[in-house]
Amino acid sequence: MRAARLITMVLLLQSRPGMTAAELAAELEVSERTVARDAAALSEAGVPVYAERGRTGGYHLVDGYRTRLTGLARGEAEALFLSGLPTALRDLGLQDAASAARLKVAAALAPSLRDAPDTVARRFHLDAPGWFQEPVAPALLPVVAEAVRDDLTVRARYLRDGAEVDRALLPYGLVLKAGVWYLCARVGHPADAPSAQGGFRVYRVDRFVSVEADGGRFERDAGFDLAGFWAARSARFARSLLRTEVTVRISGAGARRLPHLVDRTAAEEALAAAGPPDGEGRWTVTLPVESPEVAYEQLLALGAEAEVLAPAALRARFREAAARMHGLYR
């Protein structure tokens, strides 16, 4: 514990020369007396730490006592401190490791780049969860993350359609999407041939009832690309939700807003496939949607900029909604 604190103290002084005893005590979560003892211990061990008194004083390292990262451009140095989402690192149990890594990098940077952490922090902040929802990390996320990091096979129980399903999983990767954690895993055991193992599947981590490492490890498929797999799977998933179609007569203003209300790709393809506008400047589009109920909620936001032509039941529902609104505003 003390050894780690002493190393952290040296790294702090490399990145922020002249820190006072109070500042070091706050950073290291110890007393100022402990800071003084640690500084003396470092000096006795050959680390050139010295204290300078006065209003501009503080603890210092002898000039030149540092390891520097050379060859980094400013943009590259700033990118190092921008990588990673703070909440995601915390949820994965990597917050302390990330902080230590950033501290080490900051201490090793050349003096001209020493302000890179502050420069980035003042200009960029990454907030992954969507609006109007408080992000809650799944209770089993640290266990899943450890299995992913160390290639550990796990036995998991998962809620599907209200029932618990037991699976042996090879956990390949974690993805954070709109505040929700997903596990990309392969079903099976390491002893199975790849052809005998199940394909890659996606599980919501918050639906795991239990996850336990079973003591085994697996050898990763070298050809598995997590980012590529997720992009293809999420696009296929989004498309699979669009199980029905509605026909809509839409104005120019409605057409501009449509991609922001429904599946963007589906909206853009429907608008591109539409013929020329009619005499009133409206286009008739056939739009894939998840269901008539979902389409009602989405297209209602367009108001008079969209007229539902089919299916008949959905058109009747819009007619009823229009009549109710007319009654309220007449």
Side-chain angles (χ1 to χ4, degrees), residues 47-76:
V47 179
V49 178
Y50 67 96
E52 192 173 59
R53 300 185 181 278
R55 293 178 58 189
T56 60
Y59 285 91
H60 296 263
L61 291 170
V62 171
D63 288 345
Y65 186 85
R66 58 176 55 87
T67 301
R68 296 178 180 173
L69 292 176
T70 59
L72 282 179
R74 172 164 290 276
E76 294 169 334

Side-chain angles (χ1 to χ4, degrees), residues 35-287:
V35 169
R37 287 199 296 265
D38 285 350
L42 287 170
S43 182
E44 291 173 2
V47 179
V49 178
Y50 67 96
E52 192 173 59
R53 300 185 181 278
R55 293 178 58 189
T56 60
Y59 285 91
H60 296 263
L61 291 170
V62 171
D63 288 345
Y65 186 85
R66 58 176 55 87
T67 301
R68 296 178 180 173
L69 292 176
T70 59
L72 282 179
R74 172 164 290 276
E76 294 169 334
E78 292 176 348
L80 286 174
F81 293 96
L82 183 61
S83 61
L85 298 170
T87 53
L89 292 171
R90 180 197 63 208
D91 294 346
L92 292 171
L94 296 174
Q95 186 175 26
D96 291 342
S99 297
R102 284 193 292 268
L103 186 60
K104 291 176 181 178
V105 172
L109 289 174
S112 62
L113 301 179
R114 200 64 53 75
D115 64 339
D118 290 336
T119 299
V120 170
R122 291 193 184 103
R123 289 166 172 80
F124 303 102
H125 177 68
L126 305 179
D127 187 8
W131 287 104
F132 314 118
Q133 57 183 1
E134 187 67 24
V136 178
L140 293 172
L141 180 60
V143 178
V144 176
E146 181 180 2
V148 169
R149 283 197 302 270
D150 296 337
D151 298 338
L152 304 178
T153 57
V154 299
R155 198 81 198 183
R157 296 188 67 82
Y158 182 78
L159 281 177
R160 188 177 69 185
D161 299 328
E164 290 189 12
V165 180
D166 185 85
R167 289 284 187 270
L169 297 178
L170 313 182
Y172 268 70
L174 281 165
V175 175
L176 177 62
K177 173 71 172 181
V180 179
W181 285 98
Y182 297 89
L183 172 67
C184 301
R186 202 165 196 171
V187 179
H189 297 276
D192 297 335
S195 58
Q197 294 170 354
F200 289 100
R201 301 183 185 179
V202 176
Y203 301 86
R204 278 185 61 141
V205 177
D206 58 6
R207 292 181 183 167
F208 281 117
V209 177
S210 66
V211 178
E212 295 181 359
D214 59 13
R217 292 179 180 271
F218 67 95
E219 186 173 346
R220 287 176 165 267
D221 180 351
F224 178 73
D225 173 16
L226 179 61
F229 168 79
W230 179 258
R233 186 61 176 264
S234 56
R236 188 163 65 249
F237 173 74
R239 179 61 69 180
S240 70
L241 293 177
L242 308 179
R243 302 186 181 95
T244 189
E245 293 181 339
V246 298
T247 304
V248 182
R249 184 168 168 265
I250 194 167
S251 69
R256 288 190 292 273
R257 292 176 55 195
L258 187 64
H260 302 287
L261 298 173
V262 302
D263 181 85
R264 176 177 290 275
T265 302
E268 292 174 347
E269 291 177 354
L271 291 169
D278 58 23
E280 296 181 7
R282 289 177 174 256
W283 288 264
T284 299
V285 300
T286 300
L287 181 68

